[in-house]
Every structure is written in structure tokens, then in C-alpha cells.
Amino acid sequence: MMRLDKFLSELNLGTRSQLKKEIKAGAVTVNGSKALSPQQQIEEETDQVSYKGQACVYEKYVYYVLHKPAGVVSATEDAHDRTVMDLLGDGKRKDLFPVGRLDKDTEGLLLLTNDGQLAHNLLAPGKHVEKEYECCLASAFDEHQKALLEQGVDIGEKKLTAPAIVHRLEDKKITLTITEGRFHQVKRMLHAVGNEVTYLKRIRMGSLMLEDTLPRGNYRKLTKEEVERLQYDRSSHF
Ligand code: URA
């Protein structure tokens, strides 16, 4: 059960105060009858609500992929910096959160959802879901560094990092695929093998790739098929 004005504002149809006025003015029906009270309780998954003649379909969970630019933090709130939530604009649902974190200077794929179960599936180390990064490096990448990353490296924690998948793209550019999400993990892994990351971009999380057509700072909703694939994602390599 949920209040009618909250239900409508979660669908991004306006602010709570605008919607209250519109409900009182008769713009909303519930199961065919005009609803005149914003406090009216509705059953969000079964009641038929319409707003200005349009049926309102409630989505319990929502999923967005954002192309995070550098300079914004992946938090829901921050006292100093712009957050990834700010990039979603004003009409967004209040229960969204980023699935994991990217550093302030890291760009690329960030999922935003209100589905805690999916977030757990993608982040839990035991699920081994792959996160793939494109890394520009300060010095030339060599076979020795590759072999170390593939075995697992000491980044100053109890356990070595899990084996990574590494592809050398250019002299100073690689892709690195990992299944964990330790703090600053990619930067620390490259540091541990004697190199440094100068630019970092996440290009994939499980089955979801960051497409070239999604410009930096933009976002889109995931399709139903994309969400279903993420729900069953596991690493195929490890
Ligand atoms: N590893 C890092 O070092 N930074 C990120 O933002 C993500 C992974």
C-alpha cells in the first residue's frame, strides 16, 4: 500500500505539491473513480491508476546505466562534490543508489538501481561477476606485468587479488578484467606491478557493455532483457 501522491511522484509525474493540486482538481482516477485525496492509499501493483487519462504503470524496480564522467562522485549525497545522482536530474526516484563505486576521476559504466538483490549479485565476491576496465598507463606495459596480474598480486591486504584477465591494447594501454571490488583495486594492482594508471574507464559489468553511443554524463534505462541477463550473471572464466 502506498499514498497516491507518493505513487505518482515516484513515476516522475511531478513534484508532490504539484501532484496534490492535480489530484484535488480531479486529474487522477483509481479503478475508474476520481480520486480527490492525495492521502488515499492505493495498492500500487494492482490498482488501475490513471493520470490525465493515461494509465500509470508502477515499476517496483528501476535500472539505469550511466556513463559516469570524471569529476563526479558515486555516492547518493556529498557535501562538496556533484554526485552521480545529480546527473539523473530532478524527477528521479529517491530510492536509487549506485551499484558499487567508481573513483571520482574514473569514468565509464555505472549502474543505478533500487534493487538491492541485483546489486548484491553483481558485487558479492563469491559471484565472480566480471568488471572490465580500460586503463591508460604511465609506462610501457610488458609481459612480466601481465603475468603477475594474471596470477594475482599483493596490494597490501591479507589475500592476493584474484587472477585477472589482461589484454594489451597499445604500449601503454590495456584492458583489465577483475571479479572483486576492493578499494582503488585497479590502480593498486597496476602500482603493485610497477606501473601507474593515468586514466581509468569501466567498460563492462557482467553482461552489460558500455556502448559508444551513450555520451559521457548521459544515462538510459536498461531493457528488460538486459536486467534479466544481469540477474543471472556470473563469470565464465574463473
Ligand atoms: N579500481 C580503481 O582503482 N578505481 C575505480 O574507480 C574502479 C576500480
Side-chain angles (χ1 to χ4, degrees), residues 6-26:
K6 180 166 194 288
F7 171 85
L8 295 167
S9 82
E10 289 208 346
L11 294 175
N12 296 335
L13 294 170
T15 64
R16 272 302 254 280
S17 61
Q18 283 164 353
L19 290 164
K20 278 182 187 161
K21 279 190 205 141
E22 287 183 320
I23 294 167
K24 288 179 187 162

Side-chain angles (χ1 to χ4, degrees), residues 63 97-100 111 113 115-124 205:
Y63 308 87
F97 57 87
V99 177
L111 267 173
T113 184
D115 181 347
Q117 183 62 48
L118 182 81
H120 175 75
N121 188 46
L122 294 172
L123 298 177
M205 196 161 186

Side-chain angles (χ1 to χ4, degrees), residues 9-10 12 64 85-86 88-96:
S9 82
E10 289 208 346
N12 296 335
Y64 298 99
M85 292 299 153
D86 297 328
L88 295 189
D90 286 338
K92 64 184 170 293
R93 285 172 63 141
K94 310 289 173 288
D95 52 358
L96 287 171

